[in-house]
Amino acid sequence: MDKLGFIGMGNMAQALCAGFVNSGKVAAGDVYAYAPHYDKLLGNAEKYGFTPCRSLSELVDAVDTVIMACKPYQINDVLVEIGEKLHGKALVSVAAGWDFKKYSEYFDSSVRVQFVMPNTPAMVYEGVMLFEAQNSLEEEERAQIKDLFAAVGTVEELPSNLMGIGGAVTGCGPAFVDLFIEGYADAAVKYGVPRQTAYRLISQMILGSAKLQLETGEHPGVLKDNVCSPSGTTICGVASLEESGIRSACIKSIDAIMNKK
């Protein structure tokens, strides 16, 4: 994995590129990228240090490993244009829905494929990188790619049949947490806290609570109980949330995603 090439340089690709380079796991000079809007690509190249390419063919010819980071609906056209050039290379796809099985419809074993589902917190190096267990990378190559993605978050592996639910929770979940932040910030503003201060307080509270659970390994119910004193304020708030069906609402939000046609 000497040369790395991005097809697409949107927000997620920029986050991955920055994390890979800043971690020292790959040199900026060994990263290439192609995107349809060349002027914008040049601006990002100056910012991140990668080499911009004017065509898909130029990109693929220059690299050993390709990261498919364009929009899912664009991939068919990309494969029509440069599919033959991918033979003998490693292809890491971060496009939703394009898993190992789907790529197998296009390629034989000469293209080594790994499907990864990142999420937006990768932009601050706190993402979740879901690696599909089914893949055709060489063992050492896969270890290198996992190590690379660990620069922008936690790497977890799931079997193919669980990538959908895993992606629903970790990929869509940040939007749900943002609603939670906004809602509690609104409550703080209602009682006089300035808006930006409210956002900082709530976001740090969520960050700290999540870190406490991760580092202690405690069941979330135990951590909740630790904050709830008998006849105290917190248990009154918990009772209100339960009356509003907070757990059911969480489950239904994932049901809505999984049942989407």
Side-chain angles (χ1 to χ4, degrees):
M1 195 180 67
D2 296 323
K3 305 285 185 181
L4 190 67
F6 284 88
I7 296 178
M9 191 42 70
N11 289 336
M12 183 57 69
Q14 290 177 47
L16 294 174
C17 178
F20 296 167
V21 172
N22 292 340
S23 69
K25 296 181 185 296
V26 62
D30 290 332
V31 179
Y32 297 74
Y34 166 81
H37 302 290
Y38 190 70
D39 290 343
K40 185 176 181 181
L41 185 67
L42 279 177
N44 284 326
E46 292 178 7
K47 182 177 181 181
Y48 298 110
F50 62 76
T51 301
C53 298
R54 288 188 175 274
S55 70
L56 285 166
S57 292
E58 180 186 349
L59 172 86
V60 176
D61 287 342
V63 304
D64 311 292
T65 301
V66 174
I67 297 182
M68 190 73 77
C70 57
K71 300 295 185 184
Y73 71 86
Q74 297 173 320
I75 294 180
N76 273 316
D77 291 340
V78 170
L79 296 182
V80 167
E81 183 173 344
I82 48 90
E84 290 295 322
K85 287 180 171 288
L86 291 172
H87 291 293
K89 298 184 185 291
L91 175 62
V92 180
S93 181
V94 297
W98 282 81
D99 59 6
F100 181 83
K101 181 180 179 181
K102 190 161 187 176
Y103 278 107
S104 296
E105 297 171 4
Y106 289 81
F107 299 119
D108 57 24
S109 59
S110 67
V111 181
R112 305 182 305 282
V113 176
Q114 172 69 67
F115 175 43
V116 181
M117 294 191 72
N119 65 357
T120 53
M123 295 178 182
V124 291
Y125 313 129
E126 291 291 350
V128 177
M129 309 289 113
L130 294 181
F131 273 62
E132 183 181 18
Q134 187 177 14
N135 70 93
S136 53
L137 295 180
E138 296 171 0
E139 185 175 348
E140 183 179 354
E141 184 177 48
R142 191 168 195 249
Q144 287 181 318
I145 289 174
K146 275 190 168 184
D147 185 56
L148 194 60
F149 274 82
V152 292
T154 297
V155 170
E156 295 282 352
E157 183 174 305
L158 287 177
S160 299
N161 66 310
L162 293 182
M163 287 295 286
I165 179 60
V169 173
T170 63
C172 303
F176 307 153
V177 174
D178 290 334
L179 283 173
F180 188 83
I181 292 170
E182 188 177 24
Y184 274 101
D186 282 347
V189 169
K190 178 181 178 181
Y191 288 96
V193 178
R195 172 67 62 181
Q196 293 304 316
T197 302
Y199 287 148
R200 288 196 301 273
L201 293 177
I202 303 305
S203 293
Q204 180 59 46
M205 177 271 294
I206 292 173
L207 177 64
S209 299
K211 187 173 183 179
L212 181 63
Q213 194 285 320
L214 285 170
E215 294 196 1
T216 63
E218 286 280 16
H219 189 287
V222 172
L223 296 174
K224 178 263 295 178
D225 288 350
N226 289 343
V227 188
C228 293
S229 303
S231 298
T233 54
T234 306
I235 192 61
C236 291
V238 168
S240 176
L241 287 170
E242 293 289 9
E243 185 178 356
S244 298
I246 184 170
R247 297 173 201 245
S248 177
C250 291
I251 294 169
K252 286 180 178 179
S253 71
I254 300 301
D255 287 342
I257 296 166
M258 298 302 290
N259 295 327
K260 184 179 182 297
K261 300 299 183 183

